[in-house]
């Protein structure tokens, strides 16, 4: 069992984490943050395995991983 | 559940000043992680360039000094000679290091100065709007090479690792591509080697990181990764070009 958190206020919706996640966990969200970006969000139903690939590539250090 | 990946405390609690997908944020994160892991925030100095990389001054919570364009190796030389207990790294783009600052980096490397250089190669002058850099690929369109870089008039991309590896003094010279998560991990291990050389006081180390500039390449971050695989990694292959010598 694993999960990630994404700090929406740091996210610039670059999509690098979306490309990195082999499990399709991360999706572009609906909300807009203070910078005006549509931050990404985890889909809790998709079965995150805690591999950290998303967090490793995030240039904003917005993702934290729990396992 | 246990936290297995976290944002380092050596990064300020704010978003970066970089464009979406810009790998300057990624490189700065890697350096901040290493500074935290080794517990050296109190004695680390980042010498920042002129170029987008200077915006990491708002990001690092440890000491930074901003050098004039291309002069980070000269400032780092002075700093590490006068304060040998400090861990010093320069953080430089390809315009800063390969064009205006070319002689500074070559001579600092040749002297085997005790600092490490983190070289962010995004094949363009990012900050000033995407002009040709020494590292721009043959045929690559930039604002100053609108028809693509022509070697006849603009020369060929300069391979800094290969050039510097002809020198005797450097302890470590390597290039990594940040295109994939595995590449980012290899890059961090390369940066770790360079940092450990600093901790042991063994001299100059140079790590080139192949990066992207989505804004000036005019591509989405995802398409930038494709361009790296198809174009820039072919010209700038990963590798360790010079390894630490036996220190007597
Ligand atoms: C002496 C001087 N010449 C020119 C400039 C204009 N200038 C600012 S940044 C830059 C190039 C930056 O390119 P690079 O080093 O590749 O950094 P990037 O922004 O791509 O990370 C130039 C030419 C300047 N600030 N100072
Ligand atoms: S990599 Fe980071 S900044 Fe980019 S979309 Fe994912 S969480 Fe947001
Ligand atoms: S930790 Fe792995 S599985 Fe979970 S969201 Fe990140 S990349 Fe996907
Ligand atoms: S202009 Fe290019 S190098 Fe500068 S912050 Fe934007 S993407 Fe990064
Ligand atoms: Mg550049």
């Amino acid at each position: 069992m694993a999960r990630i958190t994404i700090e929406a206020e740091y996210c610039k919706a670059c999509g690098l984490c979306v490309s990195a996640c082999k499990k399709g966990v991360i999706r572009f969200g609906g909300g807009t943050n203070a910078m005006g970006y549509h931050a990404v969000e985890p889909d809790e139903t998709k079965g995150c395995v805690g591999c950290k690939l998303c967090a490793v590539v995030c240039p904003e250090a917005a993702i934290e991983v729990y396992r | 559940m246990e936290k297995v990946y976290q944002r380092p405390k050596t990064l300020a609690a704010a978003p970066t000043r970089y464009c979406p997908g810009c790998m300057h944020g990624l490189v700065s994160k890697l350096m901040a992680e290493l500074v935290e892991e080794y517990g050296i925030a109190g004695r680390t100095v980042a010498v920042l360039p002129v170029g987008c990389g200077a915006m990491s001054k708002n990001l690092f919570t440890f000491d930074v000094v901003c050098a004039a364009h291309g002069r980070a190796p000269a400032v780092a030389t002075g700093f590490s000679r006068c304060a040998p207990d400090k861990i010093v790294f320069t953080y430089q783009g390809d315009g800063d290091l390969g064009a205006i600052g070319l002689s500074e980096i070559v001579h600092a490397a040749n002297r085997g100065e005790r600092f490490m250089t983190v070289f962010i190669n995004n094949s363009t002058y990012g900050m000033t709007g995407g002009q040709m850099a020494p590292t721009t690929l043959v045929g690559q369109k930039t604002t100053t090479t609108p028809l693509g870089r022509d070697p006849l008039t603009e020369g060929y991309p300069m391979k800094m690792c290969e050039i510097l590896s002809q020198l005797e003094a450097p302890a470590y010279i390597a290039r990594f591509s940040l295109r994939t998560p595995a590449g980012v991990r290899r890059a961090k291990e390369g940066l770790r080697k360079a940092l450990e050389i600093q901790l042991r006081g063994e001299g100059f180390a140079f790590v080139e990181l192949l990066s992207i500039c989505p804004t000036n390449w005019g591509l989405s971050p995802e398409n930038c990764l494709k361009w790296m695989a198809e174009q820039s990694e072919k010209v700038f292959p990963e590798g360790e070009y010079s390894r630490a010598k036996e220190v007597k």
Side-chain angles (χ1 to χ4, degrees):
Chain A
M1 200 174 66
R3 71 182 174 89
I4 60 163
T5 59
I6 299 172
E7 175 49 77
E9 287 308 318
Y10 296 170
C11 176
K12 291 183 181 148
C14 70
L16 289 175
C17 58
V18 179
S19 310
C21 178
K22 305 274 183 279
K23 298 283 172 186
V25 172
I26 308 172
R27 60 184 177 202
F28 290 96
T32 308
N33 66 19
M35 295 182 288
Y37 294 109
H38 300 292
V40 299
E41 59 187 16
D43 179 345
E44 308 284 347
T45 66
K46 284 282 170 62
C48 169
V49 294
C51 66
K52 304 193 263 191
L53 297 184
C54 57
V56 164
V57 300
C58 176
E60 295 294 328
I63 304 179
E64 298 197 318
V65 184
Y66 296 80
R67 195 164 58 196
Chain B
M1 267 191 278
E2 188 195 336
K3 204 187 253 193
V4 291
Y5 190 101
Q6 63 185 348
R7 182 185 172 88
K9 306 237 175 340
T10 38
L11 284 181
T16 72
R17 305 272 175 109
Y18 298 119
C19 305
C22 177
M23 289 177 175
H24 270 299
L26 184 50
V27 176
S28 297
K29 177 180 79 169
L30 294 180
M31 285 312 296
E33 284 175 358
L34 286 168
V35 168
E36 179 169 77
E37 281 171 35
Y38 286 83
I40 51 170
R43 61 185 184 111
T44 300
V45 183
V47 184
L48 299 178
V50 167
C52 284
M55 292 189 283
S56 284
K57 75 178 166 29
N58 302 92
L59 211 50
F60 294 141
T61 58
F62 44 88
D63 281 345
V64 302
V65 46
C66 294
H69 210 0
R71 273 55 187 171
V75 173
T77 295
F79 219 107
S80 80
R81 286 189 180 198
C82 296
D85 54 315
K86 300 287 186 211
I87 301 298
V88 181
F89 70 91
T90 72
Y91 182 107
Q92 301 178 257
D94 43 354
D96 187 81
L97 183 142
I100 193 167
L102 184 64
S103 89
E104 302 290 345
I105 190 63
V106 172
H107 287 288
N110 192 43
R111 296 189 305 266
E113 296 292 344
R114 282 191 310 185
F115 66 84
M116 65 183 268
T117 289
V118 184
F119 173 44
I120 297 86
N121 177 359
N122 58 11
S123 297
T124 193
Y125 286 10
M127 173 156 271
T128 43
Q131 293 83 0
M132 189 194 86
T135 45
T136 295
L137 304 196
V138 170
Q140 185 184 335
K141 289 184 177 148
T142 67
T143 53
T144 46
T145 55
L147 303 176
R149 182 176 190 164
D150 179 355
L152 215 54
T153 40
E154 285 103 35
Y156 290 88
M158 286 176 74
K159 302 176 181 177
M160 291 310 304
C161 285
E162 289 86 332
I163 291 170
L164 294 177
S165 67
Q166 302 306 307
L167 302 172
E168 291 290 324
Y172 183 66
I173 296 175
R175 178 189 293 122
F176 303 95
S177 169
L178 299 172
R179 180 172 60 88
T180 61
V184 176
R185 286 194 169 124
R186 284 193 295 276
K188 185 167 173 188
E189 290 319 300
L191 291 167
R192 184 190 303 284
K193 279 189 197 173
L195 184 61
E196 289 187 348
I197 286 167
Q198 303 317 304
L199 291 165
R200 296 193 299 265
E202 288 174 5
F204 182 74
F206 184 88
V207 179
E208 174 173 347
L209 300 166
L210 206 54
S211 302
I212 63 175
C213 173
T215 300
N216 289 300
W217 291 9
L219 298 172
S220 68
E222 199 184 352
N223 285 336
C224 285
L225 300 185
K226 288 197 190 112
W227 196 83
M228 286 175 98
E230 289 160 12
Q231 307 279 338
S232 53
E233 283 181 2
K234 302 240 161 75
V235 179
F236 298 109
E238 283 198 6
E240 291 184 319
Y241 290 82
S242 160
R243 288 188 187 80
K245 298 183 191 74
E246 290 294 318
V247 180
K248 290 172 194 88

